[in-house]
C-alpha cells in the first residue's frame, strides 16, 4: 500500500488513510519543532498554575474515542516522569465528564483540563469544557488540537487561562480514522509534561521514533504476510502506556473494517481473567512488548502462554532490538535504532504497525479505508449527540 501511486490508492478508496499513516514520522519532527519554539510559553503557563495552586493539581486528560485514548496512552508514563510533587495525572473521557460531572470533577481541586481533539467540534469536547468551567472553581485549560478553525481552538485564543497548542496542519486527518492526529497529540503531551528527561533526551527520543516509524512503513510486506493468514479476530495486549495504546489499536480495526473483524484489547496480565476466552483458531494476537526490563517479563509471559496453547494461528511480539522480548515465537523486532525508548514514546512507532494491520485488514474484508462506514452509521465528527443543559 505504501508503495502504490496516489491514483492506484484512490481506486481502492485508500489514498487518504495510507498517506496519513505514512507521513507520521515527518509530522513528529514538525510537532517537536513546534514544542521547541513554544517551550518558554508552555513552561511559563505551567509555572504560573503551580505558583497559584494550593496542594496538588489534577491534570485531567480528556477527549472522546481516539482522543480519549491519547490520555489513556500517555498517562501511565507521565505518572512516572511528570512533576509528581505538584501534579496528579488522570485520563477521563469527555463522554464521562459530560454525562456525570459530579462523579469525575471535584469543585475544590485545582485542575488543568487537557483537551485532545482533532477537529475541536465534537459536541462532547465542547460541552466538557463548558461543564468544567461551571463546576470547578480553580480551573485552567490546555487545548491540544489540530484545527485552528475548530470551536475549541477559537475558545482558547486570547484566553490567559487556556494554553493553546496547535498540531501540524497535516495532522488534521482528512480520512475517517484518526492517525497522525492521535500520534502528534500524544507526542505533544509527552513533551509538555515529561520533566525527568531534558530537551536533548527528548530530541533523541523523537529522532529514534522517527527512525522506527519509517522502518515500520518500509516493512509493510511482513505485516501483509500476517494479514494473509486465515483469521477473523484480532487481540492487542500491552502493559503500562502500551496497555493504553491497545484501545486505540483495537479501535482502528473496528473502524477500518466496519466491524467485519472482531477485536479485543487488554493489559498483558489482565487478559487471563476472562478475556482470553476470545481466542479461537481464527485469532491473531499482537503484544506490544515494554522496554522496561521488569514489565517486559509479563508481556513475554502471555506471549509464551498463548503460543503454547497452539490455538491462535499467529502470536506476535512487537519489540525493539534494544530490548528484545526473548519470546520464543515470532517477533516484529524494530532494528534501526539503538535508543531504547520508554513506553510512552515507543507507543507511537509501535502504533504504526497496528495502523498498518488495520489498513491491510480493511482491504482484506473488501472495505474502503477512507470511507469505511458506507451506511453513515459512524461519522468522522460525531453527529446526533444531544447535550442537555447543566447547572452546577
Amino acid at each position: 500500500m505504501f508503495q502504490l501511486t496516489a491514483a492506484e490508492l484512490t481506486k481502492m478508496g485508500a489514498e487518504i488513510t495510507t498517506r496519513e499513516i505514512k507521513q507520521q514520522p515527518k509530522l513528529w519532527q514538525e510537532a517537536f519543532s513546534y514544542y521547541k519554539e513554544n517551550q518558554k510559553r508552555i513552561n511559563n503557563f505551567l509555572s504560573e498554575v503551580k505558583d497559584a495552586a494550593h496542594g496538588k493539581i489534577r491534570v485531567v486528560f480528556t477527549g472522546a474515542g481516539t482522543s480519549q485514548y491519547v490520555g489513556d496512552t500517555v498517562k501511565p508514563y507521565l505518572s512516572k516522569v511528570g512533576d509528581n510533587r505538584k501534579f496528579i495525572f488522570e485520563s477521563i473521557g469527555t463522554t464521562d465528564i459530560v454525562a456525570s460531572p459530579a462523579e469525575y470533577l471535584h469543585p475544590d481541586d485545582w485542575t488543568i483540563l487537557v483537551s485532545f481533539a482533532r477537529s475541536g467540534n465534537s459536541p462532547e469536547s465542547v460541552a466538557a469544557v463548558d461543564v468544567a468551567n461551571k463546576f470547578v472553581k480553580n480551573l485552567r485549560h490546555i487545548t491540544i488540537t489540530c484545527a485552528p478553525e475548530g470551536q475549541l481552538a477559537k475558545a482558547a485564543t486570547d484566553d490567559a487561562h487556556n494554553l493553546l497548542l496547535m498540531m501540524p496542519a497535516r495532522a488534521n486527518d482528512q480520512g475517517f480514522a484518526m492517525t497522525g492526529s492521535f500520534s502528534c497529540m500524544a507526542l505533544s503531551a509527552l513533551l509538555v509534561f515529561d520533566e525527568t528527561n531534558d530537551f536533548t533526551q527528548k530530541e533523541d527520543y523523537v529522532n529514534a521514533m522517527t527512525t522506527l516509524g519509517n522502518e515500520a512503513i518500509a516493512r509493510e510486506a511482513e505485516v501483509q504476510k500476517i494479514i494473509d493468514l486465515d483469521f477473523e479476530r484480532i487481540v492487542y495486549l500491552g502493559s503500562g502506556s502500551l496497555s493504553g495504546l491497545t484501545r486505540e489499536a483495537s479501535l482502528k480495526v473496528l473502524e477500518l473494517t466496519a466491524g467485519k473483524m472482531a477485536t479485543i484489547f487488554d493489559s498483558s496480565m489482565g487478559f487471563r481473567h476472562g478475556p482470553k476466552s476470545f481466542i479461537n483458531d481464527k485469532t491473531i494476537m499482537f503484544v506490544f512488548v515494554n522496554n522496561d526490563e521488569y514489565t517486559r517479563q509479563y508481556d513475554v509471559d502471555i506471549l509464551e502462554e498463548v503460543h503454547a496453547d497452539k490455538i491462535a494461528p499467529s502470536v506476535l511480539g512487537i519489540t525493539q532490538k534494544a530490548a528484545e522480548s526473548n519470546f520464543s515465537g515470532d517477533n516484529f523486532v524494530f532494528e534501526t535504532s539503538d535508543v531504547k525508548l520508554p513506553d510512552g514514546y515507543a507507543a507511537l512507532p509501535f502504533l504504526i504497525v497496528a495502523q498498518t494491520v488495520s489498513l491491510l485488514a480493511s482491504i482484506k474484508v473488501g472495505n474502503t479505508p477512507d470511507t469505511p462506514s458506507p451506511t453513515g452509521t459512524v461519522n468522522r465528527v460525531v453527529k446526533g449527540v444531544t447535550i442537555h443543559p447543566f447547572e452546577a
Side-chain angles (χ1 to χ4, degrees):
M1 297 290 287
F2 297 127
Q3 305 305 318
L4 298 178
T5 66
E8 290 170 324
L9 290 169
T10 299
K11 288 182 181 179
M12 302 168 69
E15 191 278 327
I16 298 172
T17 307
T18 303
R19 167 169 44 86
E20 291 180 339
I21 293 173
K22 185 178 181 180
Q23 71 188 8
Q24 286 175 103
K26 293 181 180 178
L27 297 187
W28 300 340
Q29 290 291 337
E30 292 180 29
F32 183 75
S33 294
Y34 180 88
Y35 166 73
K36 180 179 179 180
E37 294 165 4
N38 289 273
Q39 192 174 12
K40 183 176 180 180
R41 182 168 67 95
I42 293 166
N43 291 342
N44 287 343
F45 180 87
L46 294 177
S47 294
E48 289 174 6
V49 180
K50 291 177 184 179
D51 290 343
H54 303 290
K56 285 199 171 184
I57 302 162
R58 296 182 76 197
V59 177
V60 177
F61 298 121
T62 194
T66 287
S67 295
Q68 176 184 344
Y69 305 156
V70 175
D72 291 347
T73 300
V74 302
K75 182 261 178 184
Y77 176 67
L78 290 176
S79 292
K80 180 173 69 174
V81 301
D83 184 356
N84 293 306
R85 296 174 298 103
K86 293 296 292 185
F87 293 147
I88 300 172
F89 295 97
E90 303 173 63
S91 180
I92 306 172
T94 55
T95 46
D96 292 320
I97 291 172
V98 172
S100 188
E103 294 186 355
Y104 295 100
L105 299 176
H106 304 159
D108 296 322
D109 287 355
W110 274 84
T111 303
I112 300 175
L113 189 71
V114 183
S115 296
F116 297 114
R118 173 170 63 176
S119 72
N121 291 324
S122 294
E124 302 96 331
S125 298
V126 176
V129 170
D130 180 59
V131 166
N133 283 334
K134 292 177 179 178
F135 200 80
V136 181
K137 297 173 185 176
N138 294 300
L139 181 68
R140 300 293 185 268
H141 295 274
I142 298 178
T143 301
I144 302 179
T145 185
C146 305
E149 72 282 1
Q151 293 182 59
L152 288 185
K154 288 182 177 178
T157 302
D158 299 325
D159 182 351
H161 288 170
N162 195 328
L163 176 66
L164 175 62
L165 300 177
M166 293 302 309
M167 298 300 93
R170 290 182 297 163
N172 187 12
D173 309 304
Q174 298 307 298
F176 175 87
M178 291 175 64
T179 52
S181 53
F182 174 95
S183 61
C184 285
M185 290 192 293
L187 174 59
S188 296
L190 291 170
L191 296 172
V192 167
F193 288 105
D194 180 352
E195 296 200 3
T196 300
N197 296 293
D198 61 19
F199 181 86
T200 300
Q201 184 64 74
K202 291 177 183 177
E203 186 173 31
D204 288 344
Y205 285 161
V206 174
N207 288 338
M209 284 170 46
T210 301
T211 298
L212 298 180
N214 285 324
E215 180 184 351
I217 296 297
R219 294 171 63 185
E220 176 192 350
E222 296 175 45
V223 179
Q224 183 66 64
K225 289 181 180 179
I226 299 169
I227 300 302
D228 289 339
L229 297 172
D230 182 16
F231 71 96
E232 299 171 350
R233 301 180 175 191
I234 298 177
V235 176
Y236 280 106
L237 305 178
S239 304
S241 279
L242 300 177
S243 176
L245 183 69
T246 63
R247 300 193 69 177
E248 172 59 11
S250 181
L251 177 62
K252 286 287 105 42
V253 174
L254 286 178
E255 288 180 329
L256 294 185
T257 69
K260 294 177 184 177
M261 283 191 177
T263 180
I264 193 172
F265 64 88
D266 209 327
S267 68
S268 294
M269 288 196 74
F271 187 59
R272 296 182 182 87
H273 294 264
K276 191 183 173 190
S277 306
F278 183 80
I279 290 184
N280 62 14
D281 61 359
K282 293 291 183 71
T283 306
I284 59 176
M285 186 177 90
F286 299 95
V287 177
F288 299 123
V289 180
N290 205 297
N291 282 337
D292 180 87
E293 292 183 7
Y294 176 78
T295 303
R296 184 168 64 246
Q297 298 173 98
Y298 294 102
D299 300 326
V300 174
D301 285 350
I302 194 64
L303 279 165
E304 295 289 4
E305 180 176 319
V306 176
H307 180 59
D309 290 340
K310 297 182 179 180
I311 298 173
S314 179
V315 180
L316 191 79
I318 300 175
T319 185
Q320 267 194 268
K321 177 184 67 174
E324 288 189 42
S325 70
N326 299 318
F327 169 45
S328 61
D330 295 329
N331 293 282
F332 184 102
V333 181
F334 282 95
E335 299 176 340
T336 53
S337 175
D338 292 325
V339 177
K340 188 166 73 171
L341 292 172
D343 55 359
Y345 294 92
L348 305 184
F350 284 13
L351 177 61
I352 289 186
V353 178
Q355 291 170 341
T356 304
V357 167
S358 299
L359 175 66
L360 298 178
S362 181
I363 298 299
K364 181 185 178 81
V365 300
N367 239 23
T368 52
D370 293 345
T371 53
S373 182
T375 63
T377 309
V378 185
N379 302 283
R380 180 178 178 275
V381 179
V382 170
K383 300 178 181 179
V385 179
T386 299
I387 301 297
H388 299 284
F390 172 77
E391 295 298 330

